[in-house]
Amino acid sequence: MKASVRDAVARRRFWERFFASSLADRVLSGDERGVEVDLAALVAREGQAAPERGILYIVGAGPGDPELLTLKAARVMAEV
């Protein structure tokens, strides 16, 4: 994977997408040969993909006390 996708951030995004997809479930179900073919195609596409655009979240915390964060703000911050 490292030879195909040189950028560490892109590799991390690739593996996040892989484990969130049905491919990971197919590996666990024993369809390793089928996944191998699909994974090779996915890696080839990833190596040619343009960098993803980022997302900016503005999170307010009142006067700066971290205990004043909303649950949604805490969830967004935990995703990063």
Side-chain angles (χ1 to χ4, degrees):
M1 185 64 186
K2 191 173 186 179
S4 298
V5 182
R6 313 263 314 149
D7 180 55
V9 174
R11 280 195 310 273
R12 179 178 174 217
R13 282 193 307 261
F14 170 83
W15 287 117
E16 287 172 349
R17 284 194 296 273
F18 173 82
F19 286 110
S21 74
S22 64
L23 288 176
D25 294 331
R26 287 173 48 199
V27 169
L28 293 175
S29 71
D31 184 18
E32 293 179 19
R33 180 65 190 135
V35 170
E36 188 176 323
V37 172
D38 292 344
L39 184 59
L42 191 61
V43 169
R45 283 195 310 267
E46 187 70 28
Q48 300 168 356
E52 290 185 16
R53 290 185 171 184
I55 297 174
L56 172 67
Y57 293 97
I58 299 175
V59 177
D65 183 350
E67 293 184 11
L68 296 177
L69 289 174
T70 64
L71 291 175
K72 185 172 184 177
R75 280 194 296 268
V76 167
M77 291 171 62
E79 289 177 7
V80 178

Coordinates of all heavy atoms in Angstrom, one line a residue:
M1 N 0.8 -1.2 0.0 CA 0.0 0.0 0.0 C 0.9 1.3 0.0 O 0.6 2.2 -0.7 CB -0.9 0.0 1.2 CG -1.9 1.0 1.3 SD -3.0 0.9 -0.1 CE -3.9 2.4 0.2
K2 N 1.9 1.2 0.8 CA 2.8 2.4 0.9 C 3.5 2.7 -0.4 O 3.6 3.9 -0.8 CB 3.9 2.2 2.0 CG 4.6 3.4 2.3 CD 5.6 3.1 3.5 CE 6.2 4.4 4.0 NZ 7.1 4.1 5.1
A3 N 3.8 1.7 -1.2 CA 4.4 1.9 -2.5 C 3.4 2.5 -3.5 O 3.7 3.3 -4.4 CB 5.0 0.7 -3.1
S4 N 2.1 2.1 -3.4 CA 1.1 2.6 -4.3 C 0.6 4.0 -4.0 O 0.3 4.8 -4.8 CB -0.1 1.6 -4.3 OG 0.3 0.4 -4.8
V5 N 0.4 4.2 -2.7 CA -0.1 5.5 -2.2 C 0.9 6.1 -1.3 O 1.0 5.7 -0.1 CB -1.5 5.4 -1.5 CG1 -2.0 6.7 -1.1 CG2 -2.5 4.7 -2.4
R6 N 1.7 7.1 -1.8 CA 2.9 7.6 -1.0 C 2.5 8.5 0.1 O 3.2 8.5 1.1 CB 3.8 8.3 -2.0 CG 4.1 7.6 -3.2 CD 5.3 6.8 -3.4 NE 6.6 7.2 -3.0 CZ 7.5 6.3 -2.6 NH1 7.1 5.0 -2.5 NH2 8.7 6.7 -2.3
D7 N 1.4 9.2 0.0 CA 1.0 10.2 1.0 C 0.3 9.5 2.2 O -0.6 8.7 2.1 CB 0.0 11.2 0.4 CG -0.4 12.2 1.4 OD1 0.4 12.9 2.0 OD2 -1.7 12.4 1.6
A8 N 0.9 9.7 3.4 CA 0.4 9.0 4.6 C -1.1 9.4 4.9 O -1.9 8.5 5.3 CB 1.3 9.4 5.8
V9 N -1.5 10.6 4.7 CA -2.8 11.0 5.0 C -3.8 10.3 4.0 O -4.9 9.8 4.4 CB -3.0 12.5 4.9 CG1 -4.4 13.0 5.0 CG2 -2.1 13.2 5.9
A10 N -3.4 10.2 2.8 CA -4.2 9.5 1.8 C -4.4 8.0 2.1 O -5.4 7.4 2.0 CB -3.7 9.6 0.4
R11 N -3.3 7.4 2.6 CA -3.3 6.0 3.0 C -4.3 5.8 4.2 O -5.1 4.9 4.3 CB -2.0 5.5 3.4 CG -1.1 5.1 2.3 CD 0.1 4.2 2.7 NE 0.9 4.8 3.8 CZ 1.9 5.7 3.6 NH1 2.2 6.1 2.4 NH2 2.5 6.1 4.7
R12 N -4.2 6.8 5.1 CA -5.1 6.7 6.3 C -6.6 6.8 5.9 O -7.4 6.0 6.3 CB -4.8 7.8 7.3 CG -5.7 7.7 8.5 CD -5.3 8.8 9.5 NE -6.3 8.8 10.5 CZ -6.8 9.9 11.1 NH1 -6.2 11.1 10.8 NH2 -7.7 9.9 12.0
R13 N -6.9 7.7 5.0 CA -8.3 7.9 4.5 C -8.7 6.6 3.7 O -9.8 6.1 3.8 CB -8.4 9.1 3.5 CG -8.4 10.4 4.3 CD -8.9 11.5 3.4 NE -8.1 11.6 2.2 CZ -7.1 12.5 2.0 NH1 -6.7 13.3 2.9 NH2 -6.4 12.5 0.9
F14 N -7.7 6.0 3.0 CA -8.1 4.8 2.2 C -8.5 3.7 3.2 O -9.5 3.0 3.0 CB -6.8 4.3 1.4 CG -7.0 2.9 0.9 CD1 -7.7 2.8 -0.3 CD2 -6.5 1.8 1.5 CE1 -7.9 1.5 -0.8 CE2 -6.7 0.6 1.0 CZ -7.4 0.4 -0.2
W15 N -7.7 3.5 4.3 CA -8.0 2.4 5.2 C -9.3 2.7 6.0 O -10.1 1.8 6.3 CB -6.8 2.1 6.1 CG -5.7 1.4 5.4 CD1 -4.5 1.9 5.2 CD2 -5.8 0.1 4.8 NE1 -3.7 1.0 4.5 CE2 -4.5 -0.1 4.2 CE3 -6.8 -0.8 4.6 CZ2 -4.2 -1.3 3.5 CZ3 -6.5 -2.0 4.0 CH2 -5.2 -2.2 3.4
E16 N -9.5 3.9 6.3 CA -10.8 4.3 6.9 C -12.0 3.9 6.0 O -13.0 3.4 6.5 CB -10.8 5.8 7.3 CG -9.9 6.2 8.4 CD -9.8 7.7 8.6 OE1 -10.3 8.4 7.8 OE2 -9.3 8.1 9.7
R17 N -11.9 4.3 4.7 CA -12.9 3.9 3.8 C -13.0 2.4 3.6 O -14.1 1.9 3.5 CB -12.7 4.6 2.4 CG -13.0 6.1 2.4 CD -13.1 6.6 1.0 NE -11.9 6.6 0.3 CZ -10.9 7.5 0.4 NH1 -11.1 8.6 1.1 NH2 -9.8 7.4 -0.3
F18 N -11.9 1.7 3.6 CA -11.9 0.3 3.4 C -12.7 -0.4 4.6 O -13.5 -1.2 4.4 CB -10.5 -0.3 3.4 CG -10.4 -1.8 3.4 CD1 -10.7 -2.5 2.2 CD2 -10.2 -2.5 4.6 CE1 -10.6 -3.9 2.2 CE2 -10.2 -3.9 4.6 CZ -10.4 -4.6 3.4
F19 N -12.3 -0.1 5.8 CA -13.0 -0.7 7.0 C -14.4 -0.3 7.2 O -15.2 -1.0 7.8 CB -12.1 -0.5 8.2 CG -10.9 -1.3 8.2 CD1 -9.6 -0.7 8.1 CD2 -10.9 -2.7 8.4 CE1 -8.5 -1.4 8.1 CE2 -9.8 -3.4 8.3 CZ -8.5 -2.8 8.2
A20 N -14.8 0.8 6.6 CA -16.2 1.2 6.7 C -17.0 0.7 5.5 O -18.2 0.8 5.5 CB -16.3 2.8 6.6
S21 N -16.4 0.0 4.6 CA -17.1 -0.5 3.4 C -17.4 -2.0 3.6 O -17.1 -2.6 4.6 CB -16.2 -0.4 2.1 OG -15.1 -1.3 2.2
S22 N -18.1 -2.5 2.6 CA -18.5 -3.9 2.6 C -17.3 -4.8 2.3 O -17.3 -6.0 2.6 CB -19.5 -4.2 1.5 OG -19.0 -4.0 0.2
L23 N -16.1 -4.3 1.9 CA -15.0 -5.1 1.6 C -14.5 -5.8 2.9 O -14.1 -7.0 2.9 CB -13.8 -4.3 1.0 CG -14.0 -3.9 -0.5 CD1 -12.9 -3.0 -0.9 CD2 -14.1 -5.1 -1.4
A24 N -14.4 -5.0 4.0 CA -14.0 -5.6 5.3 C -14.9 -6.7 5.7 O -14.4 -7.7 6.2 CB -13.9 -4.5 6.3
D25 N -16.2 -6.5 5.5 CA -17.1 -7.6 5.9 C -16.9 -8.9 5.0 O -17.0 -10.0 5.5 CB -18.6 -7.1 5.7 CG -18.9 -6.0 6.7 OD1 -18.3 -6.0 7.8 OD2 -19.8 -5.2 6.4
R26 N -16.6 -8.6 3.8 CA -16.4 -9.8 2.9 C -15.1 -10.5 3.3 O -15.1 -11.8 3.1 CB -16.3 -9.3 1.4 CG -17.6 -8.9 0.9 CD -17.6 -8.3 -0.5 NE -16.8 -9.0 -1.4 CZ -16.3 -8.4 -2.6 NH1 -16.5 -7.2 -2.8 NH2 -15.6 -9.1 -3.4
V27 N -14.1 -9.8 3.7 CA -12.9 -10.5 4.2 C -13.3 -11.4 5.4 O -12.9 -12.6 5.5 CB -11.8 -9.5 4.6 CG1 -10.7 -10.2 5.4 CG2 -11.2 -8.8 3.4
L28 N -14.0 -10.9 6.3 CA -14.4 -11.6 7.5 C -15.3 -12.8 7.2 O -15.3 -13.8 7.9 CB -15.1 -10.7 8.5 CG -14.3 -9.6 9.2 CD1 -15.1 -8.7 10.0 CD2 -13.1 -10.3 10.0
S29 N -16.1 -12.7 6.1 CA -17.0 -13.8 5.7 C -16.2 -14.9 4.9 O -16.8 -15.9 4.5 CB -18.1 -13.3 4.9 OG -17.7 -12.9 3.6
G30 N -14.9 -14.6 4.6 CA -14.1 -15.6 3.9 C -14.0 -15.4 2.4 O -13.3 -16.3 1.7
D31 N -14.5 -14.4 1.8 CA -14.3 -14.1 0.4 C -13.0 -13.4 0.1 O -13.0 -12.3 -0.5 CB -15.5 -13.3 -0.1 CG -15.5 -13.1 -1.6 OD1 -14.8 -13.8 -2.3 OD2 -16.2 -12.1 -2.0
E32 N -11.9 -13.9 0.6 CA -10.7 -13.2 0.4 C -10.2 -13.1 -1.0 O -9.6 -12.0 -1.4 CB -9.6 -14.0 1.2 CG -9.8 -13.9 2.7 CD -8.8 -14.6 3.5 OE1 -7.7 -14.9 3.0 OE2 -9.1 -14.9 4.7
R33 N -10.5 -14.0 -1.9 CA -10.1 -14.0 -3.3 C -10.8 -12.9 -4.0 O -10.3 -12.1 -4.7 CB -10.3 -15.3 -4.0 CG -9.9 -15.3 -5.4 CD -8.4 -15.1 -5.6 NE -8.1 -14.8 -7.0 CZ -7.3 -13.9 -7.4 NH1 -6.7 -13.1 -6.6 NH2 -7.0 -13.8 -8.7
G34 N -12.1 -12.8 -3.8 CA -12.9 -11.7 -4.4 C -12.5 -10.3 -3.9 O -12.4 -9.4 -4.7
V35 N -12.2 -10.2 -2.6 CA -11.8 -9.0 -2.1 C -10.4 -8.6 -2.6 O -10.2 -7.4 -2.9 CB -11.7 -9.0 -0.5 CG1 -11.1 -7.8 0.1 CG2 -13.2 -9.2 0.0
E36 N -9.6 -9.6 -2.8 CA -8.2 -9.3 -3.3 C -8.3 -8.5 -4.7 O -7.6 -7.6 -4.9 CB -7.4 -10.6 -3.5 CG -6.0 -10.4 -3.8 CD -5.2 -11.7 -3.8 OE1 -5.5 -12.6 -3.0 OE2 -4.4 -11.9 -4.7
V37 N -9.2 -9.0 -5.6 CA -9.3 -8.4 -6.9 C -9.9 -7.0 -6.7 O -9.4 -6.0 -7.3 CB -10.2 -9.2 -7.8 CG1 -10.6 -8.5 -9.1 CG2 -9.6 -10.6 -8.1
D38 N -10.9 -6.8 -5.9 CA -11.5 -5.5 -5.7 C -10.6 -4.5 -5.0 O -10.5 -3.4 -5.3 CB -12.8 -5.6 -4.9 CG -13.9 -6.3 -5.7 OD1 -13.8 -6.4 -6.9 OD2 -14.9 -6.7 -5.1
L39 N -9.8 -5.1 -4.1 CA -8.9 -4.2 -3.3 C -7.8 -3.7 -4.3 O -7.4 -2.6 -4.2 CB -8.3 -5.0 -2.2 CG -7.3 -4.3 -1.3 CD1 -8.0 -3.1 -0.6 CD2 -6.8 -5.2 -0.2
A40 N -7.3 -4.6 -5.2 CA -6.2 -4.1 -6.1 C -6.7 -3.0 -7.0 O -6.0 -2.0 -7.2 CB -5.8 -5.3 -7.0
A41 N -8.0 -3.1 -7.5 CA -8.6 -2.0 -8.3 C -8.7 -0.7 -7.4 O -8.5 0.4 -7.9 CB -9.9 -2.5 -8.8
L42 N -9.1 -0.9 -6.2 CA -9.3 0.3 -5.3 C -8.0 1.0 -5.0 O -7.9 2.2 -5.0 CB -10.0 -0.2 -4.0 CG -10.5 0.9 -3.0 CD1 -11.6 1.7 -3.7 CD2 -11.0 0.2 -1.8
V43 N -6.9 0.2 -4.8 CA -5.6 0.8 -4.5 C -5.1 1.5 -5.8 O -4.6 2.6 -5.7 CB -4.6 -0.3 -4.1 CG1 -3.2 0.2 -4.1 CG2 -5.0 -0.9 -2.8
A44 N -5.3 0.9 -7.0 CA -4.9 1.6 -8.2 C -5.6 2.9 -8.4 O -5.0 3.9 -8.7 CB -5.2 0.7 -9.4
R45 N -6.9 3.0 -8.1 CA -7.7 4.2 -8.2 C -7.2 5.2 -7.1 O -7.1 6.4 -7.4 CB -9.2 4.0 -8.0 CG -9.8 3.4 -9.2 CD -11.4 3.5 -9.1 NE -11.9 3.0 -7.9 CZ -12.4 1.8 -7.7 NH1 -12.3 0.9 -8.7 NH2 -12.9 1.4 -6.5
E46 N -6.9 4.8 -5.9 CA -6.5 5.7 -4.9 C -5.2 6.3 -5.2 O -5.0 7.5 -4.9 CB -6.3 4.9 -3.6 CG -6.1 5.7 -2.4 CD -7.2 6.6 -1.9 OE1 -8.4 6.2 -2.2 OE2 -7.0 7.6 -1.3
G47 N -4.2 5.6 -5.9 CA -3.0 6.2 -6.2 C -3.1 7.3 -7.3 O -2.2 8.1 -7.4
Q48 N -4.2 7.3 -8.0 CA -4.4 8.3 -9.0 C -5.4 9.4 -8.6 O -5.6 10.4 -9.3 CB -5.0 7.6 -10.3 CG -4.1 6.6 -10.9 CD -4.8 5.7 -11.9 OE1 -6.0 5.9 -12.2 NE2 -4.1 4.8 -12.5
A49 N -6.0 9.2 -7.4 CA -7.0 10.2 -7.0 C -6.4 11.5 -6.6 O -5.3 11.6 -6.1 CB -7.8 9.6 -5.8
A50 N -7.2 12.5 -6.8 CA -6.8 13.9 -6.4 C -7.0 14.0 -4.9 O -7.8 13.3 -4.3 CB -7.6 14.9 -7.1
P51 N -6.2 14.8 -4.2 CA -6.4 15.0 -2.8 C -7.8 15.5 -2.5 O -8.4 16.2 -3.2 CB -5.4 16.1 -2.4 CG -4.5 16.2 -3.5 CD -5.2 15.7 -4.8
E52 N -8.3 15.0 -1.4 CA -9.7 15.4 -0.9 C -9.6 16.8 -0.3 O -8.6 17.2 0.2 CB -10.2 14.4 0.1 CG -10.5 13.1 -0.4 CD -11.2 12.2 0.7 OE1 -11.6 12.7 1.7 OE2 -11.2 11.0 0.5
R53 N -10.7 17.5 -0.5 CA -10.9 18.8 0.2 C -11.2 18.6 1.6 O -11.9 17.6 2.0 CB -12.0 19.6 -0.5 CG -11.6 20.0 -1.9 CD -12.7 20.9 -2.4 NE -12.3 21.5 -3.7 CZ -13.0 22.4 -4.3 NH1 -14.1 22.8 -3.9 NH2 -12.5 22.9 -5.5
G54 N -10.7 19.5 2.4 CA -11.0 19.4 3.8 C -12.3 20.0 4.2 O -13.0 20.7 3.4
I55 N -12.7 19.9 5.4 CA -13.9 20.5 6.0 C -13.5 21.3 7.2 O -12.7 20.8 8.0 CB -15.0 19.4 6.3 CG1 -15.4 18.6 5.1 CG2 -16.2 20.1 7.0 CD1 -16.3 17.5 5.4
L56 N -14.0 22.4 7.3 CA -13.8 23.3 8.5 C -15.0 23.4 9.3 O -16.1 23.7 8.9 CB -13.4 24.7 8.0 CG -13.2 25.7 9.1 CD1 -12.1 25.4 10.0 CD2 -13.1 27.1 8.5
Y57 N -14.9 23.0 10.6 CA -16.0 23.1 11.6 C -15.6 24.3 12.5 O -14.5 24.3 13.1 CB -16.2 21.8 12.4 CG -16.6 20.7 11.5 CD1 -15.8 19.7 11.0 CD2 -18.0 20.5 11.2 CE1 -16.2 18.7 10.3 CE2 -18.4 19.5 10.5 CZ -17.5 18.5 10.0 OH -18.0 17.5 9.3
I58 N -16.5 25.2 12.7 CA -16.3 26.2 13.7 C -17.1 25.8 15.0 O -18.3 25.7 14.9 CB -16.7 27.6 13.2 CG1 -15.9 27.9 12.0 CG2 -16.6 28.7 14.3 CD1 -16.2 29.2 11.3
V59 N -16.4 25.7 16.0 CA -17.0 25.2 17.3 C -16.9 26.3 18.3 O -15.7 26.6 18.7 CB -16.3 23.9 17.8 CG1 -16.9 23.4 19.1 CG2 -16.5 22.8 16.7
G60 N -18.0 26.7 18.9 CA -17.9 27.7 19.9 C -17.9 27.1 21.3 O -18.5 26.0 21.5
A61 N -17.2 27.7 22.2 CA -17.2 27.1 23.6 C -17.5 28.2 24.6 O -16.9 28.2 25.7 CB -15.8 26.5 23.8
G62 N -18.3 29.1 24.2 CA -18.7 30.2 25.2 C -17.4 31.0 25.6 O -16.6 31.3 24.7
P63 N -17.2 31.2 26.8 CA -16.1 32.0 27.3 C -14.8 31.2 27.3 O -13.8 31.6 27.8 CB -16.5 32.4 28.7 CG -17.4 31.4 29.2 CD -18.1 30.9 27.9
G64 N -14.8 30.0 26.7 CA -13.5 29.2 26.7 C -13.5 28.0 27.6 O -12.5 27.2 27.6
D65 N -14.5 27.8 28.4 CA -14.6 26.7 29.3 C -14.9 25.4 28.5 O -16.0 25.3 27.9 CB -15.6 26.9 30.4 CG -15.7 25.8 31.4 OD1 -15.1 24.8 31.3 OD2 -16.4 26.1 32.4
P66 N -14.0 24.4 28.5 CA -14.3 23.2 27.7 C -15.5 22.4 28.1 O -16.1 21.6 27.4 CB -13.0 22.3 27.9 CG -12.3 22.9 29.0 CD -12.7 24.3 29.2
E67 N -16.0 22.6 29.3 CA -17.2 22.0 29.8 C -18.5 22.6 29.2 O -19.6 22.0 29.3 CB -17.3 22.0 31.3 CG -16.2 21.1 31.9 CD -16.3 21.1 33.4 OE1 -17.3 21.5 34.0 OE2 -15.4 20.6 34.1
L68 N -18.3 23.7 28.4 CA -19.5 24.3 27.8 C -19.7 23.9 26.3 O -20.5 24.4 25.7 CB -19.4 25.8 27.9 CG -19.4 26.4 29.3 CD1 -19.2 27.9 29.2 CD2 -20.7 26.1 30.0
L69 N -18.9 22.9 25.9 CA -19.1 22.4 24.5 C -20.4 21.7 24.4 O -20.9 21.0 25.4 CB -18.0 21.4 24.2 CG -16.6 21.9 23.9 CD1 -15.6 20.8 23.8 CD2 -16.5 22.8 22.7
T70 N -21.0 21.7 23.2 CA -22.2 21.0 23.0 C -21.8 19.5 22.7 O -20.7 19.2 22.4 CB -23.0 21.5 21.8 OG1 -22.2 21.4 20.6 CG2 -23.4 23.0 22.0
L71 N -22.8 18.6 22.8 CA -22.5 17.2 22.4 C -22.1 17.1 21.0 O -21.2 16.3 20.6 CB -23.7 16.3 22.7 CG -24.0 16.1 24.2 CD1 -25.3 15.3 24.4 CD2 -22.9 15.5 24.9
K72 N -22.7 17.8 20.1 CA -22.4 17.8 18.7 C -20.9 18.3 18.5 O -20.2 17.7 17.7 CB -23.4 18.6 17.9 CG -23.1 18.5 16.4 CD -24.2 19.2 15.6 CE -24.0 19.0 14.1 NZ -25.1 19.6 13.3
A73 N -20.5 19.3 19.1 CA -19.2 19.8 19.0 C -18.2 18.8 19.5 O -17.1 18.6 18.8 CB -19.0 21.1 19.8
A74 N -18.5 18.1 20.6 CA -17.6 17.1 21.1 C -17.5 15.9 20.1 O -16.4 15.4 19.9 CB -18.1 16.6 22.5
R75 N -18.6 15.5 19.5 CA -18.5 14.5 18.5 C -17.7 14.8 17.3 O -16.9 14.0 16.8 CB -20.0 14.1 18.1 CG -20.7 13.2 19.0 CD -21.9 12.6 18.4 NE -22.9 13.6 18.1 CZ -23.9 13.9 18.9 NH1 -24.0 13.4 20.1 NH2 -24.8 14.8 18.5
V76 N -17.9 16.1 16.8 CA -17.1 16.5 15.6 C -15.6 16.5 16.0 O -14.8 16.1 15.2 CB -17.6 17.9 15.2 CG1 -16.6 18.5 14.2 CG2 -19.0 17.9 14.6
M77 N -15.3 17.0 17.1 CA -13.9 17.1 17.5 C -13.3 15.7 17.7 O -12.1 15.4 17.4 CB -13.7 17.9 18.8 CG -14.0 19.4 18.6 SD -14.1 20.3 20.1 CE -12.4 20.1 20.7
A78 N -14.1 14.7 18.1 CA -13.6 13.3 18.3 C -13.4 12.6 17.0 O -12.6 11.7 16.9 CB -14.6 12.5 19.1
E79 N -14.0 13.1 15.9 CA -13.8 12.5 14.6 C -12.5 12.7 14.0 O -12.0 12.0 13.2 CB -14.9 13.0 13.6 CG -16.3 12.5 13.9 CD -17.3 13.1 12.9 OE1 -16.9 13.8 12.0 OE2 -18.5 12.8 13.2
V80 N -11.8 13.8 14.4 CA -10.6 14.2 13.8 C -9.4 13.4 14.3 O -9.3 12.9 15.3 CB -10.3 15.7 14.0 CG1 -9.0 16.1 13.5 CG2 -11.5 16.5 13.4

